[in-house]
Amino acid sequence: MWIQDYNPLNNTSLSALVAVFPVIFFLLGLSVFMKGIITALLTLIISIGVSAFLFQMLTSWIVVRRPIWSK
């Protein structure tokens, strides 16, 4: 079972800054850098990387094989 760690860097401000990085990248990417689909795909990759490597979330929880509500 995966237990969420809210402070993986032992610094609350730094952990929050790293966690909000995909959102900042997405907004800046849409407004300044690139087209929407490319920004969305890169944001998805960044979000998976942050959640898997920094917050050590299980990859089976990141990539859902089927929706939770389906039976």
Side-chain angles (χ1 to χ4, degrees):
M1 180 173 190
W2 177 69
I3 299 173
Q4 185 172 1
D5 185 12
Y6 292 104
N7 195 4
L9 300 176
N10 295 325
N11 184 345
T12 307
S13 301
L14 188 59
S15 296
L17 185 66
V18 171
V20 79
F21 177 70
V23 176
I24 293 172
F25 178 82
F26 183 71
L27 294 175
L28 285 176
L30 283 179
S31 62
V32 177
F33 297 121
M34 49 196 113
K35 293 183 178 182
I37 189 71
I38 296 172
T39 303
L41 291 174
L42 288 176
T43 303
L44 178 65
I45 292 169
I46 291 170
S47 298
I48 289 173
V50 167
S51 61
F53 296 115
L54 182 69
F55 290 97
Q56 287 141 10
M57 182 181 244
L58 300 173
T59 55
S60 62
W61 286 43
I62 297 170
V63 181
V64 178
R65 294 187 184 122
R66 67 181 171 100
I68 297 170
W69 58 86
S70 69
K71 293 183 180 188

